[in-house]
Amino acid sequence: MENQNVYEKPVTLKNILKFAVPTIAMTVFMSFYTMVDGLFVSNLIGTDALSAINLTAPVIQLVTAISTMLATGGSAVIMKKMGEHKTDEAKEDFTFLILVNVVVGVIMCLVGYLAMDSIFAGMNLSADVEGYCVEYLSRYLVFTVPILLMNNFTLYMIASEKATLSLICSVTGGVLNMVLDYLFIAVFAMGISGAAVATGIGYSVTAVVGLFVFSRKKSLLHFKKPVFRFRVLANAATNGCSEMATALVTGIITMMFNWTMLHYVGEDGVAAVTIIMYVLMFASSLYTGYSYGVAPMLSFYYGEQNHEKLKKLVAVSLKVIAFISVITVAASCLLTRPLVSVFVRPDNPVHELAVTGNRICTAALCFIGFNIFASGMFTALSNGIVSAVLAFSRSFVFMLITMIVLPLLLGVNGIWLATPAAELMALALSAFVFMKYRKRYGY
């Protein structure tokens, strides 16, 4: 029984968590050291620099969107082929998709540098904040290719039953990022550029380890002479388009939050939004980590047409998501002031804005997990269109509606309410789609 791989073992909570917990820990830790970036920047440089990190987020989300699309969509395609016992073909496709990531990364880096000067010109920012934005982004773009590889290798390590190694890479990269944050900002006085370089180096750890791991033929997935199959790239893009849409519209919605806050409150409002996004991101990483962790299992059982295991996996997953939701809501309510105080002093006007905003936004944590899992599940089942509809509706359509309507009615509190309202609308759509396709997939 011990020689069985995880896909052959019975679907129990214990076996699922053995597969998913390292992934959850990894995503939580990655979000944690993103928060640490903000902590160092806000405390050692100032809230203007913290605002700048948020203002560059839409551009960074574009980088994340492409790599997420290729990683999640590619993983679903490849693990489905593994379930169909087309192992050689799966390895050829894996190598091909990694090469695509490298090419895309180089192109995005060049385009980013060419467009950088005009990106922030129309935002009517103060000279200090605009300077921080350009400085941070120019350093971050240097690491575009390693960041794309990191996002891909993270998921492929999980699919290759190396989730623990993926966790070790994330922890190592995170610790390195934190240490370098302090050294570059506090000791070497590199300012906000030091934060960007520290983040890039931290992300590069998984990219370097992944190149080594997947060069070894002992790995379940490993590099093999690639074969260009346009259909594979198209399928990966289609399956992963929901995750790409989520990342892209997250950037767009971030811009909307920033513009609305600049209109109602000013740059202090942007800093408050940044703090709340860190808190929501940290909580959401639990759901994202779980969804990433079980996605290869969903894809494998679907390829194998093992409806009994698929049904049990989905049922257990919904219970796990519900449990996490209760914990995150309670923790966010109890720890609002301590969390905000880590980033900004109580005498700073940003503090009260962030405290109020976090208390209202906490309601979204009741719904986010189910929406993330539903979208991820359909990606794993190779139904990228349904997944994209769920992700796009949740992240853009519903957010656009609530971001336009609620601030007009309720002012600043309407901005904070936009996220919980949008997630509730998305939950209704997720439940409808979940029931509609239940018989088709046998879950």
Side-chain angles (χ1 to χ4, degrees):
M1 196 74 174
E2 287 300 317
N3 292 326
Q4 288 181 312
N5 66 43
V6 70
Y7 304 106
E8 296 171 337
K9 291 180 180 179
V11 178
T12 62
L13 179 61
K14 181 181 177 181
N15 287 335
I16 293 170
L17 292 181
K18 278 184 180 179
F19 205 65
V21 165
T23 316
I24 295 171
M26 176 193 66
T27 54
V28 167
F29 195 83
M30 288 178 69
S31 70
F32 176 70
Y33 76 72
T34 301
M35 290 174 67
V36 170
D37 262 354
L39 188 151
F40 277 110
V41 167
S42 62
N43 284 283
L44 297 178
I45 305 176
T47 53
D48 280 353
L50 184 64
S51 298
I53 290 180
N54 195 13
L55 290 164
T56 60
V59 181
I60 292 169
Q61 287 292 344
L62 179 60
V63 176
T64 304
I66 301 298
S67 62
T68 301
M69 175 189 71
L70 293 171
T72 56
S75 177
V77 170
I78 289 166
M79 291 314 297
K80 182 173 181 288
K81 286 189 176 182
M82 294 290 281
E84 294 168 345
H85 305 293
K86 300 176 181 177
T87 54
D88 286 338
E89 192 174 319
K91 291 168 188 174
E92 292 168 354
D93 294 342
F94 161 67
T95 310
F96 165 60
L97 290 174
I98 293 299
L99 290 175
V100 169
N101 272 273
V102 173
V103 173
V104 169
V106 172
I107 293 171
M108 292 183 71
C109 180
L110 294 174
V111 171
Y113 273 104
L114 290 173
M116 192 184 309
D117 289 337
S118 59
I119 290 174
F120 306 105
M123 292 189 180
N124 295 319
L125 303 172
S126 66
D128 286 344
V129 173
E130 186 173 343
Y132 284 137
C133 289
V134 173
E135 186 179 350
Y136 185 83
L137 187 59
S138 64
R139 306 302 189 277
Y140 190 94
L141 286 173
V142 173
F143 298 94
T144 304
V145 172
I147 289 169
L148 262 69
L149 290 178
M150 179 273 295
N151 282 334
N152 278 263
F153 287 153
T154 294
L155 291 190
Y156 286 120
M157 283 181 190
I158 295 165
S160 300
E161 301 183 53
K162 290 180 171 61
T164 302
L165 177 61
S166 184
L167 171 61
I168 291 170
C169 290
S170 297
V171 172
T172 303
V175 172
L176 183 61
N177 179 35
M178 294 175 204
V179 172
L180 293 179
D181 264 333
Y182 178 76
L183 288 176
F184 290 164
I185 300 174
V187 178
F188 299 122
M190 291 174 62
I192 198 169
S193 64
V197 172
T199 298
I201 293 174
Y203 284 159
S204 299
V205 171
T206 302
V208 172
V209 173
L211 288 171
F212 175 75
V213 167
F214 292 114
S215 296
R216 302 178 66 189
K217 292 186 177 181
K218 290 182 179 180
S219 177
L220 182 65
L221 278 176
H222 59 258
F223 296 133
K224 190 180 176 73
K225 185 178 179 180
V227 176
F228 180 88
R229 297 185 181 96
F230 179 78
R231 185 177 62 183
V232 170
L233 180 58
N235 287 343
T238 302
N239 284 331
C241 65
S242 62
E243 281 71 21
M244 181 184 72
T246 300
L248 279 177
V249 300
T250 297
I252 295 170
I253 294 302
T254 299
M255 282 194 294
M256 287 186 62
F257 265 111
N258 292 338
W259 289 335
T260 308
M261 272 300 183
L262 285 169
H263 173 72
Y264 280 91
V265 184
E267 289 172 355
D268 283 347
V270 176
V273 166
T274 308
I275 294 169
I276 290 166
M277 283 185 172
Y278 282 145
V279 175
L280 287 177
M281 176 183 64
F282 184 75
S284 297
S285 65
L286 293 165
Y287 312 121
T288 304
Y290 182 83
S291 297
Y292 281 170
V294 299
M297 299 174 75
L298 290 166
S299 298
F300 190 93
Y301 296 146
Y302 174 58
E304 197 179 39
Q305 290 296 297
N306 193 328
H307 297 295
E308 183 182 349
K309 283 189 172 182
L310 189 62
K311 185 174 183 179
K312 190 166 185 181
L313 178 58
V314 171
V316 173
S317 294
L318 292 176
K319 293 176 183 177
V320 171
I321 294 293
F323 177 76
I324 296 173
S325 299
V326 173
I327 298 299
T328 54
V329 169
S332 184
C333 288
L334 293 172
L335 300 175
T336 290
R337 283 193 175 274
L339 284 171
V340 173
S341 297
V342 168
F343 293 93
V344 63
R345 295 177 182 275
D347 58 352
N348 191 310
V350 173
H351 187 273
E352 282 307 311
L353 270 173
V355 167
T356 301
N358 190 69
R359 283 176 173 164
I360 296 173
C361 284
T362 291
L365 297 177
C366 297
F367 321 120
I368 289 175
F370 296 103
N371 294 327
I372 289 173
F373 178 74
S375 179
M377 182 183 76
F378 282 105
T379 295
L381 295 174
S382 295
N383 194 332
I385 294 175
V386 170
S387 182
V389 168
L390 291 175
F392 188 74
S393 298
R394 169 190 170 232
S395 302
F396 185 70
V397 176
F398 298 146
M399 280 298 301
L400 185 64
I401 293 170
T402 56
M403 277 295 295
I404 291 173
V405 174
L406 295 180
L408 291 175
L409 298 174
L410 303 169
V412 176
N413 285 341
I415 301 173
W416 304 132
L417 276 170
T419 301
E423 292 291 348
L424 179 59
M425 294 163 71
L427 180 64
L429 179 61
S430 295
F432 170 77
V433 171
F434 186 89
M435 296 305 296
K436 179 179 178 180
Y437 287 92
R438 196 167 193 171
K439 288 184 179 179
R440 175 174 169 179
Y441 291 106
Y443 53 74

